[in-house]
Amino acid sequence: IYDDTSPGPTDDLRSKPDLCAPGVAIHTTNGTSSFTDESGTSFAAPHVAGVCALLKEARPSLIPQQIHAILVTPTDYALLPDNETRQTGWDAQGGFGMLNAAIAVKCRNRTIDATATNSSFEGVYVIDTVPEGEEVVVTGVWHREMLSESNVKHDVCCSNPSPANLDLILQARESGGGWSDVDSTIGTYDDDDDQPEDNVRQVRAFQAGSEQTQFEFRVKVQHNPTSDTPYTGSQAFSLASRHAFQ
């Protein structure tokens, strides 16, 4: 991560950025018929825009919410500015990790779209076979435009309501056994801190290695209102996974 990268969270304490992209010593045109090496967000953002274009070309029906989830799902944890420490989860400078164009395009059809209808909603989505040693990653994204309350969008300046607070729970089991939680966002982002909740969640876990019992995986989505985000109505969301859903 570039040591001059502005860190999150946002002014209203949402966990941003969601990801990072190449933006240091980028070889680019300089407007005078020659080339130069430049650094900064202005040179990272085009990488993200380019992957969005690749996704739309590969699957034209994708909507922004799906693309958002897909972009964050194949990210690789990045080295932090000390060039020695690798992030182990969401980071205030690196988000959920470095953009990976090739894997993002492979994930273009690995999405689920659903609606959390009320505060008792719990959706369960089973992931297809995960090869040995591979990492399971599922990202949930929902836009800050709600399906009721006059479709108002979250806007700190105008005191509009925060979106629904959704949580992901990744579960695993041996074939025929009981499900156990292996990663969860419950309590990670939804503190009662008088600030709006973020609209991105991610869970990760590794499949067992060779000559070990392999696991089946599924992800649960729960509608968990908090005192900061008391909204209990319908909220559409998208899930993206590195592996196909059943």
Side-chain angles (χ1 to χ4, degrees):
I1 303 297
Y2 187 40
D3 56 7
D4 275 348
T5 296
S6 297
T10 61
D11 287 344
D12 60 343
L13 300 184
R14 287 176 293 117
S15 300
K16 300 296 180 185
D18 293 331
L19 77 165
C20 56
V24 177
I26 302 301
H27 195 60
T28 184
T29 55
N30 66 359
T32 60
S33 302
S34 61
F35 294 85
T36 184
D37 291 338
E38 298 287 351
S39 299
T41 307
S42 297
F43 305 94
H47 287 83
V48 181
V51 177
C52 292
L54 290 173
L55 286 168
K56 285 292 286 184
E57 181 180 32
R59 185 183 169 191
S61 63
L62 285 171
I63 62 174
Q65 183 169 277
Q66 295 169 323
I67 292 174
H68 189 170
I70 293 169
L71 288 174
V72 181
T73 297
T75 52
D76 300 314
Y77 283 159
L79 283 174
L80 299 178
D82 63 8
N83 286 323
E84 296 179 1
T85 308
R86 189 170 295 278
Q87 62 182 112
T88 57
W90 180 84
D91 179 75
Q93 288 183 297
F96 287 104
M98 181 66 71
L99 178 72
N100 188 315
I103 300 179
V105 173
K106 290 181 180 179
C107 293
R108 65 189 182 277
N109 294 314
R110 301 168 184 171
T111 58
I112 291 284
D113 297 287
T115 298
T117 52
N118 53 54
S119 58
S120 61
F121 173 87
E122 182 176 271
V124 180
Y125 310 97
V126 179
I127 298 169
D128 211 346
T129 302
V130 177
E132 60 184 35
E134 291 193 6
E135 188 175 25
V136 181
V137 181
V138 181
T139 305
V141 170
W142 56 101
H143 282 179
R144 292 183 290 277
E145 182 171 3
M146 297 179 290
L147 300 182
S148 61
E149 294 189 24
S150 302
N151 283 327
V152 294
K153 296 182 180 180
H154 169 65
D155 187 332
V156 177
C157 298
C158 302
S159 300
N160 284 333
S162 187
N165 182 60
L166 306 183
D167 277 307
L168 305 187
I169 303 98
L170 184 62
Q171 297 183 316
R173 71 174 183 180
E174 296 181 1
S175 181
W179 292 99
S180 298
D181 296 353
V182 292
D183 195 17
S184 170
T185 66
I186 293 176
T188 303
Y189 303 95
D190 50 5
D191 295 332
D192 292 327
D193 54 10
D194 297 322
Q195 301 294 338
E197 314 302 355
D198 196 18
N199 64 323
V200 179
R201 299 284 189 275
Q202 188 177 91
V203 285
R204 297 181 178 226
F206 279 96
Q207 174 65 283
S210 60
E211 300 182 3
Q212 295 178 301
T213 301
Q214 301 295 289
F215 294 102
E216 300 171 351
F217 292 92
R218 72 180 188 183
V219 63
K220 297 168 67 175
V221 179
Q222 292 182 346
H223 193 318
N224 290 330
T226 69
S227 62
D228 299 334
T229 306
Y231 179 67
T232 58
S234 295
Q235 178 71 63
F237 64 89
S238 293
L239 298 178
S241 172
R242 287 194 186 181
H243 301 87
F245 291 101
Q246 290 187 0

